[in-house]
């Protein structure tokens, strides 16, 4: 063990150099989103110009007198198929109750 009262020996000063090589950042992840949003904005502007410029719009008729006469034949359903005749059922006799026994006196 060393004596704590003695100062440590002189050490040479050491300089450590650390180099971190980070690759340069590209456009990042948001560049394709910006392209997509920009394209959508352009499409919306084109649609707005076409809708509000009245190019190719159908003009409404001047008069409001509209008379329509539609005369169509009334549809009829086909005849339903006829039910087959049922076979003759033999007569059934009603059940007969046995005679009651005489009371026991």
């Amino acid at each position: 063990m060393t004596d704590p009262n003695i100062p440590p020996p002189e050490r040479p000063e050491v300089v450590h150099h650390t180099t971190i090589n980070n690759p340069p950042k590209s456009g990042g992840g948001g560049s394709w989103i910006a392209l997509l949003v920009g394209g959508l904005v352009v499409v919306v502007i084109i649609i707005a110009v076409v809708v509000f410029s009245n190019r190719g719009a159908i003009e409404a008729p001047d008069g409001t007198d509209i008379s329509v006469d539609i005369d169509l034949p009334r549809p009829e359903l086909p005849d339903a198929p006829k039910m087959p005749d049922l076979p003759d059922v033999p007569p059934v006799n009603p059940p007969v109750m046995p005679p009651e026994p005489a009371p026991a006196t």
Side-chain angles (χ1 to χ4, degrees):
M1 196 155 155
T2 59
D3 186 9
N5 296 327
I6 300 176
E10 290 289 326
R11 294 185 180 185
E13 186 172 329
V14 177
V15 178
H16 295 282
H17 293 283
T18 303
T19 304
I20 299 174
N21 294 323
N22 289 331
K25 290 191 174 189
S26 63
S31 62
W32 67 272
I33 293 176
L35 181 66
L36 180 69
V37 170
L40 288 175
V41 168
V42 169
V43 168
V44 168
I45 289 173
I46 291 172
I47 290 173
V49 166
V50 169
V51 167
F52 292 118
S53 69
N54 261 351
R55 274 191 280 155
I58 299 173
E59 296 289 329
D62 293 334
T64 58
D65 182 24
I66 299 174
S67 60
V68 177
D69 184 20
I70 300 176
D71 197 14
L72 297 174
R74 184 174 207 152
E76 295 182 9
L77 295 175
D79 292 338
K82 296 188 178 194
M83 294 293 293
D85 293 333
L86 295 176
D88 292 335
V89 178
V92 177
N93 295 329
V96 178
M97 297 292 293
E100 293 184 25
T105 51

